[in-house]
Amino acid sequence: HNEYRRQRQMCIRDRYLIDNGKITSWTAIDLFRATRLSAIIYNLRKDGWNIQTKMSYVDGSCFATYIYHKESEGEKDERTL
């Protein structure tokens, strides 16, 4: 049951990243209750996703925004999990 939930959440995050082009840890926590976004991004990068990290600083706090870039116009949005 937990494995199914993990895979389903991974698909939702993948779809969110494709549809929105970026995601932050706060968004991942708020929408998916995912507290380890950096690990998810690491695995997506290993699978060939082109994801850039942009660090931002607000009121002395630092946070990352992960930005998805398609490889080319012809690339499919769907990835094999």
Side-chain angles (χ1 to χ4, degrees), residues 8-38:
R8 184 180 56 161
Q9 287 180 347
M10 184 65 126
C11 290
I12 291 169
R13 285 184 287 256
D14 294 347
R15 177 53 53 197
Y16 185 90
L17 211 85
I18 290 168
D19 289 345
N20 296 285
K22 62 185 176 180
I23 193 168
T24 64
S25 290
W26 183 251
T27 302
I29 292 167
D30 189 41
L31 296 180
F32 309 113
R33 297 182 185 176
T35 58
R36 301 208 49 226
L37 182 60
S38 62

Side-chain angles (χ1 to χ4, degrees), residues 47-76:
D47 290 341
W49 287 61
N50 183 8
I51 301 173
Q52 172 191 7
T53 303
K54 179 183 175 192
M55 299 304 294
S56 300
Y57 301 90
V58 177
D59 297 329
S61 296
C62 175
F63 66 94
T65 300
Y66 298 99
I67 304 163
Y68 169 63
H69 299 281
K70 290 183 184 179
E71 297 295 329
S72 66
E73 282 190 38
E75 179 185 9
K76 290 183 177 181

